[in-house]
Amino acid sequence: MKILSIQSAVAYGHVGNSAAVFPLQRIGVEVLPVYTVNFSNHTGYGAWRGPLISPDDVREVILGIEERGAFPEIDVVLSGYQGGEGIADVILDTVQRVKQANPSAVYSCDPVMGNAKSGCFVAPAIPILLRDRVVPAADIITPNQFELGFLTDTQPDTLETTLASVELIRATGPRTVLVTSVERPDAPDETIEMLAVDDSGAWIVRTPHIPMKANGSGDVTAALFTAHYRGTGDLAYALARTTSSVFELLERTHASGQRELQLVESQEAYASPRMQFDVTRVA
């Protein structure tokens, strides 16, 4: 499998491509990383250095990849955080050209815009752009529950309302939806869930909630889920394996006392996860 991953990159820590590439490589996926920023560290520190890469420069890198004849071999285009409005045009154009070269290729979009605790942390135009143009062009999307609510103008806070919101967004284009950070009042305390839906049905998985802010964990989740799902077509398996891998990563990171993901130290969790969580069919 080959994945063209268009995301941010940092030198210190693990977010964007700096979080997604190594876990994908560790499970045997060939990754073609294209950077949209090249920062010293993620912006959660409040200070960082390095360039925001212009859409024209990102387009040039992708054009060079196309000129090497790689597009027919690409199985997935993956995108995450979009720092500026112009990157969306580059991504959408790339998806179209990759699919022309390989009609079986899919586009997986992580529509990063914020979370329930922090609200939106992207430029005001980005959520609207994602909702109106980018998400409808995707085959797979991986929003958290907060982002799903914005995309559908709903307030998903129970299993029933979350499933209804998923069906609303599936009607706009993406047929496969992974909802991360699902919280609902009837779930046991100190737990968190993920919900996955495609044409075959809906599955949910519950894990203990690890009390930490883990920048980049969503990027790892989107990458691993996309690869496992694209490779097997088995939604329940992709959900179960991704959940176990990411939980082990977060567990190790929390135990380390470090702020940044222990990405390399957790590599066996991607290659050979313990598969410790059961998934349950809900629809």
Side-chain angles (χ1 to χ4, degrees):
M1 186 187 306
K2 288 189 178 181
I3 294 181
L4 176 63
S5 182
I6 308 170
Q7 300 196 54
S8 59
V10 295
Y12 178 83
H14 302 288
V15 300
N17 268 332
S18 303
V21 171
F22 177 68
L24 288 173
Q25 291 173 330
R26 190 64 181 82
I27 63 171
V29 175
E30 181 75 28
V31 188
L32 290 71
V34 176
Y35 300 156
T36 55
V37 309
N38 190 12
F39 287 166
S40 55
N41 51 270
H42 69 71
T43 58
Y45 285 97
W48 65 93
R49 296 181 183 273
L52 181 70
I53 300 173
S54 75
D56 286 343
D57 287 338
V58 176
R59 193 187 305 273
E60 281 293 297
V61 172
I62 294 170
L63 178 59
I65 294 170
E66 184 178 24
E67 290 171 342
R68 302 287 75 77
F71 276 14
E73 301 174 353
I74 291 172
D75 301 290
V76 179
V77 178
L78 173 66
S79 72
Y81 172 78
Q82 298 184 22
E85 298 176 54
I87 293 296
D89 291 325
V90 176
I91 292 170
L92 291 173
D93 179 62
T94 300
V95 168
Q96 182 180 26
R97 300 208 314 273
V98 167
K99 288 189 171 187
Q100 286 173 347
N102 178 11
S104 68
V106 300
Y107 171 36
S108 179
C109 170
D110 186 8
V112 178
M113 59 183 77
N115 57 59
K117 292 184 174 61
S118 304
C120 279
F121 50 65
V122 297
I126 297 298
I128 297 169
L129 180 65
L130 288 167
R131 182 193 64 198
D132 294 348
R133 294 189 56 213
V134 180
V135 165
D139 301 288
I140 302 167
I141 61 169
T142 58
N144 60 38
Q145 194 175 26
F146 170 84
E147 291 160 344
L148 176 66
F150 178 88
L151 291 170
T152 56
D153 194 23
T154 61
Q155 292 184 317
D157 55 3
T158 66
L159 179 58
E160 291 74 19
T161 57
T162 302
L163 284 167
S165 297
V166 167
E167 289 309 309
L168 286 174
I169 202 64
R170 291 179 75 232
T172 70
R175 301 305 299 164
T176 302
V177 180
L178 173 70
V179 187
T180 64
S181 302
V182 173
E183 297 184 75
R184 52 194 177 105
D186 56 338
D189 291 341
E190 305 303 322
T191 63
I192 197 161
E193 295 170 314
M194 288 204 294
L195 172 72
V197 183
D198 69 3
D199 290 340
S200 71
W203 300 81
I204 199 165
V205 62
R206 178 183 299 151
T207 74
H209 178 256
I210 298 176
M212 62 174 293
K213 183 178 181 180
N215 295 91
S217 60
D219 303 318
V220 177
T221 301
L224 288 176
F225 175 80
T226 296
H228 292 316
Y229 183 70
R230 184 69 175 90
T232 67
D234 186 328
L235 186 70
Y237 172 80
L239 179 61
R241 181 158 178 169
T242 300
T243 301
S244 290
S245 294
V246 173
F247 183 82
E248 288 185 50
L249 167 63
L250 293 177
E251 193 174 43
R252 181 182 290 270
T253 300
H254 185 252
S256 75
Q258 300 296 309
R259 176 171 180 172
E260 296 292 343
L261 293 176
Q262 300 300 288
L263 194 80
V264 176
E265 295 84 348
S266 303
Q267 60 182 286
E268 288 306 312
Y270 324 133
S272 303
R274 296 198 298 268
M275 302 298 285
Q276 56 189 308
F277 302 108
D278 294 328
V279 300
T280 303
R281 186 164 192 144
V282 291

